[in-house]
Amino acid sequence: MIPFSSANRRAYLRSLATDWPAHAALIFGCALIIVPLAWMVLTATKTHEDVFTQAPWWIPDHPNLVQNIKNVFARIDFGRYFFNSLVVCAAITLLDLVFATLAGYALAKYRFPGKPIIFAIIIATMMVPFIVLVIPQYLIVRDLGWLDSYAGLIVPFAISSFGIFLMRQALAGTPDELIDAARIDGAGEWRILLQIVVPMHTPALISLGILRFLSEWDSLLWPLVATNSATMRTMSLGMAIMQDDRYQTDLPTLMAAATMALAPVVIAYSFLQRYFIKSVAGSGLKS
Amino acid sequence: MTAISPSANRGRRFAVRGFMAPSFARLKGALHGGGAPGHAGTAWLMVLPSVVFFATFVFYPIGNAAYVSLTSWDLIGPPRFIGWRNYERLLTDPNFLHSAWVTVYYSVVLLAFELPISLGLAILLDRNIKGRSFYQAVIFAPAVLTLVVVAALWRVVLAPVGGLIEVVTEPFGVTGVQWLNNRDLAMPAVILVSLWKNVGYYMVIFLAGLQAIPMTYYEAARLDGAGRWALFRYVTLPLLRPFLLFVMVISVIRAAQAFSLFYALTNGGPADATKVLPYLIYETAFGFNRMGYASAMAMLMFAALLVLTAVQFSLLRPRGGESA
């Protein structure tokens, strides 16, 4: 009989196949990810002419990166778009964290009339595709006079049913004995939530924060519909419009903009990738 | 929607966390209102903002969309009630039927590639291979990259002149291909970009699922003389079933609603070859101001997705007890 134990796991798994084909496949996969990104940065250092006269992998002797970045700023208000995206995504994420925690806690730890129906309704809203909501939400935001404003970009997304669901699942894991002990010690309900329950569940809050921020950072349809003026564009919208305009054949400038747009994301990811991956692995759901 | 996982105590390293792994039993418990009594006022105060929010920004809009779908409305005058006429017209509208087909084509083909590739990568990583966290971090990376920027990148990679893709196609004597401007190539190109973006995301989900499978099952099967293929077929696959179905559900739902990539990569073209439903709805509503007609399309799509989700949910329901 083969003695199996978790200590043998590694050896056992090795026995399934020698490692090199797996490494080859994974390295190939990584190359498919990295090469286009590296090439994006390379292209950002070329001139418009280089693209047409040289091979794609040609490395310029005199990098044109600075000029390309200047071109980006001459064409689009990159800083403004980035700032807008940051404001909108941060606001949505914070609001969602606050209200999802409140609702999630109430649904996890209290008994109150109407709770089953409220919970069912909130779950049901996860099934509604945004494309169904976009027309009526546009009408609401228009009637409120919020078109082309931060309020219009933020408020309709301030709370997500996904967030409430996630926080309810997380907070349900709080031991009731702990809450009861705090009550006996005379702590009020809000104080218990803020000082005992919330600090216990920071990993869940971080997960929700990351997932929400990422999905909002990507959003395009709503900024497209709800803004008119260039000053209210988010980065996604600004980039989409830049790709669309008649200068799109100036590939190095486009790639310079793309590099600038991705750099903060890649930097944040390289420091926080553990959290990013855990959030996705744990939730399996985004937005 | 539920995140599915086998019960947490079976988990190995990286197992799905308890708080994010609701069982159907727990869900049912919530529906029947467990929890501490005697603080109903506080509890109501806590859920009130969310209730008001969903009433305003989800339920009222659904009702409104349903009403608008029964009208003819150009946003300028008042909506004119026309009953079911929008729906009747849609059923024979070649543009709508074409877009519905394109949406199905995109969702299904994307899934057909996503599923085996991401599962295959997850299986490779599950083998405690050296450098695993590096591989995982790199392959997952596109999932966090801004979609529209990814589209910009690929627009240049696929450019007919000076595109990186030439490096791959040139040895075959293929150059100057208008990937995104060719009716037959545009959709495969968008699917390729979607794969590049999504595979790592689903790989991470599958990896979490694989790591939740107890080693003892493999050990027992090995003792019974199971080979590598048998282990995969009779241990891994059945235990991974909830994760497989889960990925199928979210992949299809996300693909059916995809808008940004099409807007940024192809603008629905060339010649409508990539005009998916969300794009057609956007264009009909905000390009041509036909709010009623666009709302009717959106309602039909909503209904289709609901039916699809219901079917998938009935498949998702665990067979007997707390089984994985």
Side-chain angles (χ1 to χ4, degrees):
Chain A
M1 206 167 90
I2 315 156
F4 266 107
S5 71
S6 53
N8 281 346
R9 171 176 158 76
R10 199 186 166 85
Y12 157 69
L13 288 167
R14 284 263 167 112
S15 76
L16 289 180
T18 46
D19 263 354
W20 71 264
H23 278 293
L26 288 166
I27 288 169
F28 179 68
C30 288
L32 286 182
I33 305 299
I34 291 173
V35 168
L37 290 169
W39 186 74
M40 168 184 79
V41 179
L42 177 66
T43 306
T45 67
K46 295 179 183 174
T47 65
H48 187 39
E49 289 71 34
D50 292 339
V51 169
F52 293 97
T53 55
Q54 307 287 345
W57 59 88
W58 177 77
I59 297 170
D61 307 324
H62 305 288
N64 197 42
L65 181 62
V66 175
Q67 183 55 46
N68 288 331
I69 290 175
K70 278 184 193 159
N71 291 346
V72 174
F73 282 107
R75 291 239 313 270
I76 61 172
D77 197 347
F78 189 87
R80 175 80 198 199
Y81 298 171
F82 198 84
F83 175 77
N84 286 344
S85 274
L86 215 55
V87 168
V88 170
C89 296
I92 290 174
T93 304
L94 280 176
L95 288 167
D96 200 21
L97 285 175
V98 170
F99 290 112
T101 302
L102 288 176
Y105 184 65
L107 292 169
K109 288 296 176 191
Y110 291 113
R111 189 177 302 167
F112 59 92
K115 170 170 149 175
I117 184 122
I118 287 172
F119 189 63
I121 280 174
I122 288 172
I123 296 300
T125 62
M126 280 201 249
M127 309 287 165
V128 185
F130 180 62
I131 194 74
V132 174
L133 301 177
V134 66
I135 294 171
Q137 283 194 352
Y138 168 80
L139 300 172
I140 294 171
V141 166
R142 187 192 65 166
D143 293 346
L144 288 168
W146 286 353
L147 284 181
D148 230 13
S149 74
Y150 284 130
L153 289 173
I154 293 166
V155 175
F157 304 92
I159 309 181
S160 68
S161 47
F162 168 67
I164 294 176
F165 183 68
L166 203 72
M167 290 318 293
R168 197 204 81 90
Q169 299 307 126
L171 301 182
T174 318
D176 287 327
E177 298 77 21
L178 202 68
I179 297 172
D180 287 336
R183 280 194 188 118
I184 291 164
D185 288 345
E189 295 301 309
W190 294 89
R191 207 177 138 200
I192 293 174
L193 174 62
L194 281 179
Q195 294 193 346
I196 296 172
V197 178
V198 166
M200 277 179 69
H201 293 285
T202 40
L205 289 164
I206 291 172
S207 284
L208 175 57
I210 286 175
L211 292 173
R212 201 66 223 280
F213 195 94
L214 278 180
S215 74
E216 290 310 318
W217 192 266
D218 263 359
S219 98
L220 174 68
L221 179 53
W222 182 250
L224 189 62
V225 167
T227 66
N228 304 316
S229 57
T231 52
M232 284 313 296
R233 279 177 197 156
T234 59
M235 215 193 57
S236 280
L237 181 55
M239 285 293 299
I241 286 172
M242 182 177 174
Q243 284 178 63
D244 234 25
D245 73 16
R246 64 202 171 82
Y247 297 103
Q248 61 155 292
T249 49
D250 185 0
L251 306 185
T253 300
L254 185 57
M255 288 300 88
T259 305
M260 285 159 61
L262 287 189
V265 183
V266 171
I267 291 167
Y269 178 65
S270 59
F271 285 109
L272 301 170
Q273 42 109 345
R274 239 166 253 258
Y275 294 101
F276 281 80
I277 290 173
K278 259 190 194 161
S279 305
V280 168
S283 73
L285 263 178
K286 200 172 141 188
S287 86
Chain B
M1 195 174 299
T2 356
I4 314 96
S5 114
S7 57
N9 57 2
R10 288 200 210 132
R12 313 203 302 264
R13 174 149 82 99
F14 210 76
V16 175
R17 301 202 137 173
F19 69 79
M20 291 178 181
S23 67
F24 282 88
R26 272 163 79 185
L27 202 62
K28 218 170 143 191
L31 288 172
H32 293 103
H39 298 283
T42 314
W44 255 106
L45 216 57
M46 288 175 177
V47 289
L48 192 64
S50 300
V51 171
V52 171
F53 177 86
F54 286 114
T56 314
F57 289 106
V58 180
F59 286 97
Y60 166 72
I62 292 174
N64 195 25
Y67 167 70
V68 172
S69 78
L70 301 174
T71 68
S72 169
W73 191 21
D74 60 4
L75 271 183
I76 297 161
R80 188 165 53 85
F81 188 83
I82 56 168
W84 297 101
R85 285 239 313 267
N86 284 331
Y87 291 92
E88 285 163 13
R89 274 221 308 260
L90 273 179
L91 294 177
T92 54
D93 178 344
N95 291 327
F96 175 74
L97 297 175
H98 170 76
S99 287
W101 157 244
V102 171
T103 306
V104 171
Y105 172 75
Y106 171 71
S107 312
V108 171
V109 175
L110 180 59
L111 179 69
F113 283 95
E114 247 168 20
L115 213 58
I117 296 175
S118 49
L119 180 58
L121 288 168
I123 287 171
L124 291 181
L125 288 179
D126 187 40
R127 300 171 49 222
N128 261 356
I129 197 163
K130 248 189 202 150
R132 179 167 98 177
S133 54
F134 171 79
Y135 289 135
Q136 177 174 258
V138 170
I139 296 173
F140 178 76
V144 304
L145 300 181
T146 317
L147 190 53
V148 173
V149 185
V150 167
L153 163 60
W154 278 89
R155 230 174 147 136
V156 178
V157 169
L158 297 173
V161 178
L164 183 62
I165 195 81
E166 298 267 282
V167 178
V168 181
T169 59
E170 214 174 2
F172 302 99
V174 180
T175 52
V177 181
Q178 299 269 354
W179 292 98
L180 295 169
N181 283 317
N182 180 306
R183 284 179 68 166
D184 299 321
L185 295 177
M187 188 52 103
V190 178
I191 290 172
L192 182 78
V193 179
S194 309
L195 277 174
W196 189 82
K197 180 96 168 72
N198 295 349
V199 156
Y201 179 84
Y202 295 118
M203 177 192 77
V204 164
I205 293 175
F206 277 135
L207 189 56
L210 286 171
Q211 306 231 309
I213 299 174
M215 278 307 291
T216 47
Y217 288 19
Y218 288 109
E219 291 159 13
R222 284 267 293 185
L223 290 178
D224 290 342
R228 206 192 308 168
W229 168 249
L231 284 182
F232 178 72
R233 173 68 188 79
Y234 296 107
V235 180
T236 310
L237 262 175
L239 287 173
L240 211 58
R241 183 169 158 271
F243 285 84
L244 281 164
L245 289 166
F246 178 61
V247 166
M248 285 166 84
V249 173
I250 45 172
S251 172
V252 169
I253 287 182
R254 285 169 68 181
Q257 297 183 44
F259 171 81
S260 310
L261 206 53
F262 290 98
Y263 184 86
L265 264 182
T266 63
N267 278 98
D272 293 352
T274 60
K275 192 168 280 179
V276 285
L277 268 181
Y279 197 99
L280 181 71
I281 294 169
Y282 161 77
E283 186 186 68
T284 308
F286 299 101
F288 305 132
N289 281 358
R290 296 174 67 193
M291 292 295 165
Y293 202 51
S295 295
M297 289 183 201
M299 293 307 288
L300 278 184
M301 192 180 152
F302 185 19
L305 278 176
L306 273 185
V307 170
L308 196 69
T309 313
V311 170
Q312 285 164 327
F313 250 77
S314 68
L315 293 171
L316 274 170
R317 204 170 291 276
R319 283 177 188 155
E322 182 81 358
S323 72

